[in-house]
């Protein structure tokens, strides 16, 4: 930096340079946010729509009160971590606080456009953080479940630690013991580890076309040779009128 002591131009140049950097930095951040909010991309979103389902962000926008905004938490979780696996925008799970019926709720929604809503380690961290915020601030939670379970290529990062997957279910029990309402809405596949969460909640809703089971029809066939379709194994009718879930 060259400073003209008489005119002070060096200081002015520094100020302009700093302002330009901040403007560029802010633009870069907003550009990244825009990319993250595109979820799994256009093709994945179209695939979700072709199934007659909304995306996680669309679901959240639909359930919060009109004229209110969603305060998102952990948007950059998983950023640039899982590039070897095609990326995981927002870690495949959207969490934050929204107003429903004029009351603040913590909302946690699996993003089925990102690896079918599978859980990465950072997805768990977001879920646990959302539960802790709920616990500390007496916020009821709504889980919008649409998940294929754990992301299997990285399952060794998901289960072993005390602050990993099992902690979610511990928190379910802890939050309910405080009288804080937890509501789970199963809106798509709910498989393996992800199937425990809804049944640990105080209220459980499953929509037609959704399913919940520890092992899908293919694994049942491989294990015991029985042919079952997805609806019979763990669809809305099965859980509403037979299993008692």
């Amino acid at each position: 930096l060259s400073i003209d002591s008489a005119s002070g131009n060096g200081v002015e140049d520094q100020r302009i340079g700093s302002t330009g950097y901040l403007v560029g930095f802010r633009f870069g951040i907003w550009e990244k946010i825009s990319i993250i909010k595109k979820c799994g991309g256009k093709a994945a979103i179209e695939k979700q729509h072709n199934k007659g389902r909304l995306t996680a962000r669309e679901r959240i926008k639909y359930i919060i009160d009109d004229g209110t905004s969603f305060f998102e938490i952990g948007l950059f979780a998983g950023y640039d971590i899982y590039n070897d696996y095609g990326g995981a925008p927002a870690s495949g799970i959207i969490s934050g606080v929204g107003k429903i019926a004029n009351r603040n709720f913590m909302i946690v929604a699996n993003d089925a456009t990102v690896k079918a809503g599978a859980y990465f380690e950072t997805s768990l961290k977001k879920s646990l953080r959302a539960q802790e915020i709920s616990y500390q601030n007496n916020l009821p939670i709504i889980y919008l479940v649409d998940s294929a379970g754990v992301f299997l290529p990285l399952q060794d990062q998901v289960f072993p630690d005390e602050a990993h997957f099992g902690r979610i279910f511990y928190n379910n029990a802890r939050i309910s013991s405080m009288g804080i309402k937890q509501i789970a809405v199963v809106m798509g596949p709910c498989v393996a580890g992800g199937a425990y969460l809804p049944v640990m909640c105080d209220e459980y809703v499953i929509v037609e076309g959704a399913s919940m089971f520890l092992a899908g029809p293919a694994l049942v066939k491989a294990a015991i040779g029985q042919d079952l379709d997805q609806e019979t194994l763990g669809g809305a009718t099965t859980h509403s009128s037979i299993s008692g879930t």
Side-chain angles (χ1 to χ4, degrees), residues 89-175:
S91 290
I93 198 163
I94 300 165
S95 61
V97 179
K99 195 173 288 293
I100 302 172
N102 206 36
R103 180 175 180 180
N104 285 324
F105 278 78
M106 176 61 72
I107 303 171
V108 181
N110 298 106
D111 186 351
T113 70
V114 178
K115 304 294 186 290
Y119 283 89
F120 295 82
E121 182 179 18
T122 50
S123 315
L124 297 176
K125 300 299 184 185
K126 281 186 73 169
S127 299
L128 293 172
R129 181 61 177 153
Q131 289 180 320
E132 190 61 30
I133 292 171
S134 165
Y135 183 79
Q136 292 181 6
N137 295 277
N138 196 33
L139 292 176
I141 308 180
I142 293 181
Y143 303 95
L144 303 179
V145 187
D146 193 346
S147 173
V150 171
F151 186 64
L152 292 178
L154 297 175
Q155 61 180 312
D156 61 313
Q157 299 176 9
V158 173
F159 284 114
D161 191 71
E162 67 176 357
H164 278 169
F165 217 133
R167 188 76 179 189
I168 291 179
F169 315 130
Y170 168 78
N171 284 345
N172 285 140
R174 189 168 64 119
I175 292 168

Side-chain angles (χ1 to χ4, degrees), residues 207-223:
V207 303
E208 290 186 7
S211 55
M212 186 181 75
F213 33 64
L214 296 182
L219 189 54
V220 171
K221 172 69 174 177

Side-chain angles (χ1 to χ4, degrees), residues 9 12 165 180-181 189 238:
N9 285 342
E12 181 68 13
F165 217 133
I180 301 170
K181 185 73 73 176
T238 296

Side-chain angles (χ1 to χ4, degrees), residues 201-213:
C201 291
D202 304 294
E203 301 288 342
Y204 167 81
V205 179
I206 184 170
V207 303
E208 290 186 7
S211 55
M212 186 181 75
F213 33 64

Side-chain angles (χ1 to χ4, degrees), residues 62-75:
Y62 184 83
I63 66 172
I64 63 175
D65 292 349
D66 292 338
T68 64
S69 58
F70 177 64
F71 183 78
E72 186 164 356
I73 299 167
L75 178 64

